[in-house]
Amino acid sequence: MTRDPRYDVLFQPVKIGPVTARNRFYQVPHCNGMGRSFPSSMAEMRRTKAEGGWAVICTEEIEIHPSGDHSPWAGGRLWDDSDIPVLAKMCEGIHEFGSLAGAEINHAGQMAANRYSRDVPLAPSHLPVALHDPVQARAMDHEDIRNLRRWHRDAALRAKKAGFDLVYVYAGHQLSTISHFLSPYRNRRSDEYGGSLENRTRLLREILADTKDAVGDTCAVALRFAVDELMGDLGFTSTGEGRDLIEMLAEEPDLWDVNISAWEHDSATSRFKAQGFQDDYVAFVKEVTSKPVVGVGRYTSPDAMVSLINKGRLDMIGAARPSIADPFLPRKIEEGRIEDIRECIGCNICVSGDNHFTPIRCTQNPTMGEEWRKGWHPERIAPRTADETVLIIGAGPAGLEAARALGQRGYHVTLADKAGEAGGRVTLERKLPGLAEWGRVADYRTYQISQMANVDFFPESAMTPDTIAEFDADHVAIATGARWTADGIGRQNPLGIDCADGAQVLTPDDVMTGTVPEGPVVVFDDDHFYMGGVIAEKLRRDGCDVTLVTPAGEVSSWTHNTLDQHAIQKQLLELGVRIITSHNLTAIRAGEADIGCVFTDAPRSISCETAVLVTMRRPVDDLWHARPALTRIGDALGPSTIAAAVYSGHRYARELGAPDEGNVPFRRELINLSPN
Ligand code: ADP
Ligand code: SF4
């Protein structure tokens, strides 16, 4: 197949200073939880994206000096020459496919607590560090500023030595000392580096010039800048100083990489922002510079990309998450296979890996982060080891992914589900407010399966031990999912919650399948991910009087890891959901619920006709109990995230026919003992 000519524009080369990108697909810097801690994994992940057609592939943040130490977050490091080989390996892989490698070198200043180096953090003015560590950053004097310029220059030279083609000056996300100097609220200096925009920009201008001088002969120098901080007059706005700064420095960098900040705004979830959500903020940039401009907005649609180029909004399509969900997105457009694109669902599970200092994972792409340690390629998979049949029961994320990957391997696959359509939990959850894009997990796989002659899907086919036996497949996987429990058993109440006769108790499954609660509703969230918050939101939007009770200090507290906790709590408050934090639900009676403070146990009662319990799920595993020799996958084995179910289905498909030798099931990156 060849590409549709209307996408030709996306494959035009773009000159960036002294280098040329082979097309307009640009993987902007993104964290991955691997960085310097799992360097082979990081390098292979980036290499895979080059193979998938991205013309520019950037690192995550690379620390340039111990005084800007982001430990324990595992980004890159270029403190001295001993750090070069890790990044050189990444560059080699990227160059193998003719792509360009970009290095986001950075001094994190007040954003870093220097937990490993124990240096005193640095900032334009005295301020506590942005993390909650009891540590302050000290105001930099002129010698510190000279040092910072030298560290940046040295790191740029090391990046060049490692093989990078682009070197960043990073002024985005409020994550860099340069951006802290720009900031009117962080920079309270009265010398030539503080006060007017001209003065606050001085350090950026100097470092830009230093970097061009150091490496600009062979490397492009990119400037990453957040044009709007979404803080109104307190910070940069795209109609105020954000625009002024770009006008001031318009022709200075070789490329503008523009976005909005902070990170939770730049990487907003699909629950709150649609594709293209940054367009209005960055649209002006191309009007004021002749240099190439790259911007992001969770673009997965090639038509939207073409429109941005043709309208003169951007020169290159920036992507972090779309390149994680589908490292082969450019190649699929180039080869005329756009229906094969595995579109990002905007859930930010990828971010959670970084926040936990563990390798990145992705809901849509189970191979993300596994390219090196398991040798999983996003597009290729070993052919079947035998001419065998596989029966998969349950077409949720786990069953669908197992069927898709086994079909790709060439097995004869039958996928059966008692429901009328494929999707499992996603069929219900995609109808919750803001979660429509999550349906892509099912849509992508349903389409792929529909194209495979060796995979048959049978809806409305409830399987029993007898029908399984009659089917006589060589392999059977049980992917029958899990159901929320109504007994209240969970983290806070291991023995469950007392419930009087006559009280209405529902689970999220009941609400999602249309049961309408009576009277005032209490949603008890002992789960802490999205479900409690989104059920409260749905019920409130349906007109219910809703109180959300949680033992945690905040609503949906785990969603800090997906960057949308603030947005979730704000939305619930604005919708009029009453929120009671740090309280347990101890009993449900007719018309009332008893709650208690998790610190003092102080009891109180609140009005409640219906309680919706969001505490835990139990596997639907009756088939397995009847036939324990069968294999369980996904939530039927251990209820977890949708990402974990997809991963489980994929792993089952990869490992079918491969003997389990009892070893650690992946390659490890071991730290060598230092020779001295
Ligand atoms: P997972 O997240 O592990 O993929 P889901 O709960 O999303 O699990 O999906 C499980 C699917 O299994 C649902 O679509 C459900 O209809 C189906 N299912 C459950 N029990 C049976 C059964 N006995 N026969 C066929 N399908 C079943
Ligand atoms: Fe997109 Fe979710 Fe994958 Fe991140 S984890 S790339 S948001 S699908």
Side-chain angles (χ1 to χ4, degrees):
M1 277 186 285
T2 50
R3 72 169 179 252
D4 188 323
R6 74 177 190 273
Y7 303 136
D8 284 354
V9 69
L10 299 174
F11 294 89
Q12 292 165 343
V14 180
K15 188 159 170 14
I16 313 171
V19 299
T20 301
R22 63 182 159 126
N23 62 39
R24 296 185 188 270
F25 294 93
Y26 190 113
Q27 182 244 274
V28 293
H30 72 75
C31 297
N32 51 87
M34 301 190 288
R36 64 174 183 278
S37 298
F38 305 100
S40 300
S41 301
M42 179 277 292
E44 187 60 16
M45 178 269 286
R46 304 288 192 202
R47 180 179 167 275
T48 306
K49 293 200 198 178
E51 186 191 354
W54 299 87
V56 180
I57 294 153
C58 299
T59 60
E60 60 280 20
E61 175 196 0
I62 298 175
E63 298 171 1
I64 62 172
H65 189 262
S67 63
D69 155 35
H70 243 146
S71 302
W73 280 272
R77 222 166 233 174
L78 275 176
W79 287 1
D80 62 28
D81 285 2
S82 64
D83 291 316
I84 291 177
V86 164
L87 293 163
K89 182 168 181 180
M90 167 186 155
C91 293
E92 269 165 39
I94 290 170
H95 290 157
E96 237 181 84
F97 297 95
S99 299
L100 302 175
E104 189 188 53
I105 58 175
N106 181 45
H107 188 275
Q110 185 230 349
M111 276 291 156
N114 296 343
R115 291 172 180 167
Y116 171 56
S117 70
R118 302 180 66 175
D119 270 5
V120 176
L122 300 172
S125 310
H126 289 290
L127 263 182
V129 295
L131 307 166
H132 286 186
D133 295 39
V135 170
Q136 282 198 197
R138 67 174 175 81
M140 291 166 71
D141 61 24
H142 281 85
E143 191 183 346
D144 294 320
I145 291 176
R146 280 194 297 279
N147 285 340
L148 176 63
R149 288 179 59 183
R150 182 166 48 78
W151 301 331
H152 203 280
R153 186 189 175 90
D154 289 349
L157 286 166
R158 288 189 190 107
K160 180 178 173 178
K161 224 171 170 181
F164 284 100
D165 311 283
L166 276 91
V167 175
Y168 266 79
V169 173
Y170 181 36
H173 296 120
Q174 303 161 11
L175 279 175
S176 74
T177 306
I178 299 171
S179 64
H180 302 157
F181 269 79
L182 289 176
S183 164
Y185 59 95
R186 282 195 169 93
N187 180 346
R188 313 298 300 164
R189 301 174 74 95
S190 53
D191 64 2
E192 69 274 28
Y193 288 94
S196 66
L197 177 63
E198 183 72 36
N199 280 357
R200 283 181 277 124
T201 308
R202 191 174 308 280
L203 180 65
L204 167 58
R205 206 190 266 281
E206 288 172 348
I207 289 182
L208 203 49
D210 292 343
T211 313
K212 288 193 87 167
D213 180 56
V215 300
D217 53 341
T218 58
C219 298
V221 177
L223 175 49
R224 193 172 205 201
F225 175 60
V227 299
D228 204 308
E229 297 177 282
L230 307 194
M231 305 173 85
D233 291 342
L234 196 56
F236 278 75
T237 63
S238 56
T239 49
E241 288 195 335
R243 185 183 179 111
D244 298 343
L245 184 136
I246 295 198
E247 285 177 352
M248 276 165 59
L249 299 180
E251 302 301 313
E252 303 286 318
D254 294 317
L255 172 134
W256 283 96
D257 173 352
V258 285
N259 59 9
I260 56 174
S261 73
W263 188 16
E264 66 267 26
H265 299 307
D266 187 24
S267 291
T269 55
S270 60
R271 187 166 167 188
F272 295 98
K273 297 289 174 195
Q275 171 178 270
F277 63 100
Q278 305 206 14
D279 192 26
D280 288 345
Y281 295 100
V282 303
F284 76 89
V285 180
K286 266 193 64 67
E287 291 165 18
V288 297
T289 176
S290 69
K291 300 292 178 177
V293 177
V294 57
V296 292
R298 224 175 55 249
Y299 291 109
T300 55
S301 151
D303 291 298
M305 297 175 192
V306 166
S307 149
L308 286 163
I309 305 294
N310 288 344
K311 280 195 296 190
R313 292 290 177 99
L314 297 176
D315 296 293
M316 301 192 77
I317 306 300
R321 291 173 291 176
S323 76
I324 293 167
D326 198 339
F328 272 57
L329 185 149
R331 277 269 288 266
K332 288 176 181 174
I333 300 172
E334 189 163 25
E335 292 170 3
R337 300 192 290 126
I338 62 167
E339 59 291 333
D340 289 337
I341 295 172
R342 202 168 37 246
E343 290 182 286
C344 166
I345 69 165
C347 62
N348 281 3
I349 282 291
C350 46
V351 177
S352 72
D354 185 57
N355 277 334
H356 293 148
F357 330 123
T358 48
I360 187 170
R361 59 217 54 210
C362 169
T363 301
Q364 275 286 57
N365 175 10
T367 67
M368 178 48 51
E370 303 290 359
E371 300 86 351
W372 180 84
R373 75 173 191 168
K374 287 204 162 182
W376 288 1
H377 189 276
E379 300 301 312
R380 290 191 292 275
I381 190 164
R384 66 185 179 190
T385 52
D387 184 10
E388 289 176 330
T389 56
V390 188
L391 170 64
I392 300 169
I393 303 160
L400 278 170
E401 175 59 18
R404 188 205 64 75
L406 285 166
Q408 195 187 351
R409 291 189 67 188
Y411 284 96
H412 304 284
V413 181
T414 302
L415 176 63
D417 199 298
K418 66 180 181 187
E421 61 182 306
R425 62 187 284 189
V426 166
T427 308
L428 296 175
E429 292 185 27
R430 72 189 303 173
K431 295 186 189 124
L432 289 168
L435 302 190
E437 276 190 27
W438 292 24
R440 291 173 172 178
V441 173
D443 297 344
Y444 163 73
R445 293 174 172 81
T446 310
Y447 172 76
Q448 293 296 317
I449 286 168
S450 74
Q451 301 303 298
M452 294 175 173
N454 55 329
V455 181
D456 292 313
F457 171 52
F458 293 97
E460 290 174 347
S461 303
M463 299 298 288
T464 63
D466 290 343
T467 54
I468 295 172
E470 274 165 34
F471 202 86
D472 197 25
D474 295 313
H475 305 276
V476 179
I478 296 181
T480 45
R483 307 283 293 166
W484 290 94
T485 59
D487 50 20
I489 291 177
R491 294 183 169 89
Q492 200 67 27
N493 300 292
L495 301 178
I497 298 172
D498 284 343
C499 179
D501 290 346
Q504 193 187 21
V505 175
L506 301 178
T507 68
D509 292 314
D510 297 326
V511 175
M512 288 190 285
T513 48
T515 308
V516 180
E518 292 157 13
V521 186
V522 168
V523 175
F524 178 58
D525 184 8
D526 194 19
D527 171 65
H528 309 301
F529 195 14
Y530 60 91
M531 187 56 82
V534 81
I535 288 285
E537 180 182 341
K538 175 189 161 37
L539 293 173
R540 184 70 195 123
R541 287 188 190 279
D542 289 347
C544 300
D545 173 323
V546 182
T547 303
L548 188 147
V549 177
T550 177
E554 292 166 313
V555 167
S556 301
S557 56
W558 199 84
T559 59
H560 277 292
N561 296 304
T562 51
L563 303 178
D564 52 359
Q565 192 283 327
H566 184 93
I568 292 170
Q569 188 146 350
K570 176 174 185 282
Q571 184 160 62
L572 292 183
L573 288 167
E574 286 172 354
L575 284 170
V577 172
R578 268 184 303 278
I579 293 173
I580 302 177
T581 56
S582 303
H583 276 72
N584 186 22
L585 180 65
T586 51
I588 304 158
R589 295 181 280 123
E592 276 187 335
D594 294 339
I595 62 174
C597 171
V598 293
F599 299 105
T600 64
D601 290 332
R604 68 194 242 226
S605 294
I606 54 175
S607 170
C608 168
E609 286 295 330
T610 303
V612 183
L613 303 184
V614 189
T615 62
M616 68 170 279
R617 291 183 297 152
R618 228 171 245 124
V620 177
D621 54 5
D622 44 317
L623 291 177
W624 178 78
H625 283 289
R627 302 274 310 274
L630 304 182
T631 305
R632 292 164 295 171
I633 59 173
D635 290 329
L637 177 62
S640 184
T641 57
I642 297 171
V646 171
Y647 183 82
S648 171
H650 191 84
R651 182 174 177 184
Y652 171 72
R654 289 263 177 185
E655 293 178 354
L656 194 73
D660 177 2
E661 287 163 358
N663 300 325
V664 176
F666 46 81
R667 281 203 277 177
R668 294 168 65 202
E669 311 210 35
L670 297 175
I671 295 171
N672 289 325
L673 275 180
S674 178
N676 42 17

